[in-house]
Amino acid sequence: MIQSSELILNPDGSVYHLNLKPEHVAKDIIFVGDQNRVEKITKLFDTIEFSTQKREFKTQTGTFKGKRITVMSTGIGPDNIDIVMNELDALVNIDLETRKPKTDLTSLNIIRIGTSGSLQADVPCDSLVLSQYGLGLDNMLRSYLIDGISEIEMEDAFIAQTNWDMKKGRPYVVKGSTALEKLLDSDAIFKGFTGTAGGFYGPQGRVLRLAIQDPSLNEKMDQFEFNGIKMTNLEMETGAIYGLGKLLGHQCLSMNAIIANRANGTFSEDPYKAVDALIEYVLGKLVK
């Protein structure tokens, strides 16, 4: 039995941070970072059966063209993903009354809809990127046993090509869901290798008043290449989602609307339109 200090429940029996019970969650789930983006998606739904919010975690479940879908905001960063992925898995794969893992496990379909900046000149603003791989530059996932799920050759190549300082921990690479990639793929989108940073400023090369460990890391990431694969974009969640999803047995894929191109120094003239296009694209593929 899992102790109450390890799996924390609210007085009403819901999981602690997400404030959800098992019946509130659909098998198909869309992640967004910003809580205000939840209703940008669910306003397109035919019905909404449930809505709740605790802290930055806002959840709505409803139906879109007959398919039951949950939309959830995760907030920012790998630490929040650790909370969201573990509590979601607990909702479907642990009996919350007996506190024991279920014999028959459920695999969720989790799609992240996000915004990001492109690292390559040929991935323009307003384009859509499907992340085939997630590169984690944080250390959160290293708290788990991940040797069997990570792409070690790609990790080694990244470490060598960027002269990565191992005092920051070993980067990890995890592949996204092949099944969801087939569902969401089309000629209209780019395939991506997405970097996941553990912070917004120093970890992504931004300098305000503090010097950073490797001022040229962004340029090195721009130039990284492994078997024809280049880094397309940098954000703060994908690698963690892919890693925990694979460990827990869930299908996960990240989709990003590119609103800035660092290589060209350009920014989308209408980033909201780009996000709306991505939302419509993902919903259309889910119900196809």
Side-chain angles (χ1 to χ4, degrees):
M1 184 176 74
I2 302 170
Q3 298 299 313
S4 59
S5 60
E6 309 305 295
L7 174 58
I8 305 170
L9 302 180
N10 295 311
D12 66 353
S14 61
V15 290
Y16 183 66
H17 295 92
L18 301 185
N19 209 34
L20 297 173
K21 296 180 181 179
E23 61 266 26
H24 298 149
V25 178
K27 185 176 180 181
D28 295 291
I29 299 173
I30 294 174
F31 281 175
V32 295
D34 184 356
Q35 57 193 282
N36 294 322
R37 196 170 288 159
V38 172
E39 291 186 357
K40 283 181 69 68
I41 299 174
T42 59
K43 71 179 182 181
L44 302 173
F45 282 16
D46 306 314
T47 61
I48 296 175
E49 67 184 67
F50 176 80
S51 181
T52 191
Q53 180 167 4
K54 184 177 181 182
R55 304 185 187 185
E56 62 266 52
F57 308 112
K58 180 172 183 175
T59 303
Q60 291 189 332
T61 296
T63 58
F64 176 76
K65 296 185 178 179
K67 178 176 280 290
R68 189 169 185 254
I69 301 172
T70 293
V71 184
M72 174 183 299
S73 62
T74 65
I76 300 173
D79 51 344
N80 273 21
I81 296 303
D82 183 52
I83 291 171
V84 172
M85 291 296 292
N86 276 288
E87 292 194 2
L88 268 179
D89 182 74
L91 286 168
V92 297
N93 288 323
I94 297 175
D95 186 316
L96 300 185
E97 293 186 3
T98 65
R99 293 181 169 273
K100 294 180 179 180
K102 297 178 180 179
T103 303
D104 297 322
L105 300 179
T106 296
S107 178
L108 299 170
N109 296 318
I110 298 170
I111 301 169
R112 178 181 184 269
I113 289 180
T115 55
S116 188
S118 170
L119 304 181
Q120 303 297 333
D122 59 353
V123 182
C125 289
D126 303 322
S127 60
L128 307 183
V129 170
L130 180 157
S131 302
Q132 291 182 300
Y133 295 90
L135 164 71
L137 304 176
D138 62 291
N139 288 314
M140 183 278 291
L141 200 66
R142 291 288 175 190
S143 296
Y144 301 94
L145 302 173
I146 70 168
D147 288 347
I149 66 163
S150 62
E151 305 287 333
I152 294 177
E153 289 187 15
M154 196 178 294
E155 294 169 4
D156 289 341
F158 180 83
I159 290 167
Q161 291 182 37
T162 62
N163 193 26
W164 181 261
D165 187 345
M166 295 300 287
K167 292 195 294 292
K168 295 192 292 187
R170 180 182 173 90
Y172 59 88
V173 177
V174 181
K175 194 176 189 305
S177 166
T178 302
L180 288 181
E181 180 180 341
K182 290 179 180 177
L183 177 68
L184 293 168
D185 194 11
S186 79
D187 294 335
I189 64 175
F190 290 83
K191 300 289 184 66
F193 176 44
T194 298
T196 296
F200 183 77
Y201 289 95
Q204 294 190 40
R206 293 182 173 92
V207 177
L208 301 183
R209 288 204 313 119
L210 298 176
I212 58 177
Q213 180 270 328
D214 186 355
S216 61
L217 179 59
N218 281 0
E219 181 180 350
K220 295 173 185 175
M221 290 194 296
D222 294 349
Q223 297 173 356
F224 170 78
E225 189 271 338
F226 177 81
N227 291 343
I229 299 171
K230 295 183 178 182
M231 285 188 66
T232 47
N233 57 313
L234 185 63
E235 44 85 275
M236 294 180 64
E237 288 82 32
T238 294
I241 293 170
Y242 284 11
L244 287 174
K246 188 151 290 189
L247 288 172
L248 292 166
H250 303 299
Q251 302 293 317
C252 301
L253 200 70
S254 182
M255 300 285 294
N256 278 276
I258 299 301
I259 61 172
N261 185 293
R262 192 171 70 198
N264 296 329
T266 56
F267 192 84
S268 173
E269 294 182 2
D270 191 349
Y272 298 107
K273 183 179 179 180
V275 172
D276 288 342
L278 177 57
I279 291 170
E280 292 176 7
Y281 180 89
V282 170
L283 289 176
K285 289 290 187 177
L286 275 175
V287 299
K288 186 176 180 181

